[in-house]
Amino acid sequence: MAGKAGKADGDVVRDVPQELRCAATGKPLYMPVVTTQGVAYSYSALFEMFMAARALPTCKVTGEPIAFFPSVCLPLHHHLMEQYKGVMRGRRQQDEPDLAERFGFPMPMVEELPEKNFDEALLEELECVVSRELVYEPCVLSSGSIVSAYCVPEGGFLKDPNRTVGCALYGQAPRKSMAVEAMIKARFPQHYTERALELAKEGIQSAGKHAKGTWNELSPALHIFWGLGCDGCGLWPIRGSAWEDADCQDRVGFHLCDQCYQLGFHRRVVTGKFNQTRMPNCRMVQMAESDFM
């Protein structure tokens, strides 16, 4: 599907549907992240909410606490970058300098999809990581992995089902993302309808009775590392034990919650949520409770 070339940027902004706008600002999503509640925010807007909150930020739509800072939802980001090129240029010029100037952090680096065979590549990104079929009633984990609502198990996901990620998920059972579903329906309507018919023939309840936007809440007795987030699952603040890369030279550092550390997340990644430079064989050390207040 071609981008809407030839229109002024302001006209294109008005064309961006409500589902593809940030829940906090009302502006078109840029570097979109989707919370466990299924609500989409621009990366910088949600980051600001976390930084401003005295405890956990609350969802602008549902009023529920947001416990995880999610990774960028790549298929949604790629769709926006291709479909609304002018708008995304403007959003980049606003959000990236603002994040750097106000908080001293860069936007995460994400790969762009090739223009050739773009739709084919996008469909691959829209595969449910459990069923390996086109995602239906899409739910987004804090890792950025996408699952169909009917694939969310009772009790949620304790670990990311994508083995290349494999971070802890604390029983996440995310709700359906209206933004991702709206994008699929607009871009691949026939594929989405066919997937619905396939599920109906198989007798699968597509609504996903366990996709309720919940996670396993942690004990209030655990130590809280206020202001410190996990570079794996996105738990923010980290509660319980925390680990840091002793060899990471970036000012922001690289940190993991205990569950992501025990799952060996640090052995599979060469960066963190803020483009930190690190190697999988770097030394991870447990932080003392007094290390980060």
Side-chain angles (χ1 to χ4, degrees), residues 186-202:
R187 191 163 199 124
F188 305 112
Q190 184 174 349
H191 291 76
Y192 204 62
T193 299
E194 289 174 353
R195 185 66 186 134
L197 293 173
E198 290 171 359
L199 292 173
K201 288 180 180 179
E202 295 172 18

Side-chain angles (χ1 to χ4, degrees), residues 196-218:
L197 293 173
E198 290 171 359
L199 292 173
K201 288 180 180 179
E202 295 172 18
I204 294 176
Q205 183 182 1
S206 61
K209 61 181 179 180
H210 303 304
K212 298 180 179 179
T214 57
W215 67 89
N216 298 333
E217 296 191 26
L218 299 175

Side-chain angles (χ1 to χ4, degrees), residues 4-272:
K4 299 180 180 179
K7 291 188 178 182
D9 283 358
D11 291 335
V12 178
V13 167
R14 289 194 292 271
D15 286 343
V16 177
Q18 188 63 37
E19 294 89 347
L20 301 184
R21 292 175 178 268
C22 174
T25 66
K27 297 178 181 179
L29 291 163
Y30 177 66
M31 299 290 276
V33 292
V34 181
T35 65
T36 309
Q37 293 80 18
V39 178
Y41 295 86
S42 292
Y43 186 98
S44 62
L46 186 59
F47 187 86
E48 182 177 355
M49 288 168 58
F50 268 90
M51 294 296 283
R54 294 186 177 181
L56 296 179
T58 55
C59 178
K60 299 293 185 181
V61 176
T62 69
E64 297 167 295
I66 304 173
F68 301 87
F69 191 90
S71 296
V72 173
C73 179
L74 291 180
L76 187 54
H77 169 71
H78 290 144
H79 167 74
L80 289 163
M81 294 297 289
E82 193 274 344
Q83 184 68 23
Y84 304 104
K85 294 181 175 69
V87 177
M88 292 301 106
R89 283 196 297 269
R91 298 292 292 110
R92 179 189 290 121
Q93 292 168 2
Q94 295 171 10
D95 285 17
E96 295 193 2
D98 185 63
L99 190 68
E101 291 172 10
R102 295 183 62 191
F103 303 109
F105 292 112
M107 283 285 186
M109 295 179 63
V110 298
E111 294 183 2
E112 300 301 331
L113 290 181
E115 291 186 11
K116 186 177 180 180
N117 301 322
F118 182 88
D119 278 359
E120 182 179 337
L122 189 59
L123 279 169
E124 288 183 10
E125 286 190 329
L126 287 167
E127 286 185 0
C128 167
V129 296
V130 175
S131 70
R132 297 299 174 185
E133 301 285 350
L134 175 66
V135 69
Y136 191 78
E137 298 210 339
C139 303
V140 186
L141 300 166
S142 65
S143 59
S145 296
I146 298 180
V147 297
S148 296
Y150 75 89
C151 289
V152 176
E154 184 176 5
F157 291 98
L158 298 178
K159 178 182 178 181
D160 195 293
N162 183 342
R163 293 183 180 180
T164 62
V165 179
C167 66
L169 289 177
Y170 294 88
Q172 287 181 32
R175 291 193 192 106
K176 179 178 73 172
S177 166
M178 300 300 291
V180 178
E181 184 175 59
M183 179 264 284
I184 300 173
K185 286 182 174 180
R187 191 163 199 124
F188 305 112
Q190 184 174 349
H191 291 76
Y192 204 62
T193 299
E194 289 174 353
R195 185 66 186 134
L197 293 173
E198 290 171 359
L199 292 173
K201 288 180 180 179
E202 295 172 18
I204 294 176
Q205 183 182 1
S206 61
K209 61 181 179 180
H210 303 304
K212 298 180 179 179
T214 57
W215 67 89
N216 298 333
E217 296 191 26
L218 299 175
S219 169
L222 293 172
H223 177 74
I224 300 175
F225 289 85
W226 290 109
L228 189 67
C230 177
D231 280 288
C233 64
L235 181 69
W236 186 354
I238 293 177
R239 277 148 280 175
S241 297
W243 298 78
E244 66 177 343
D245 185 336
D247 299 322
C248 181
Q249 298 299 310
D250 295 66
R251 181 179 65 87
V252 67
F254 178 88
H255 305 91
L256 293 180
C257 68
D258 190 59
Q259 289 196 26
C260 282
Y261 173 77
Q262 298 300 335
L263 289 171
F265 180 82
H266 53 289
R267 302 191 189 100
R268 295 187 291 276
V269 296
V270 295
T271 188

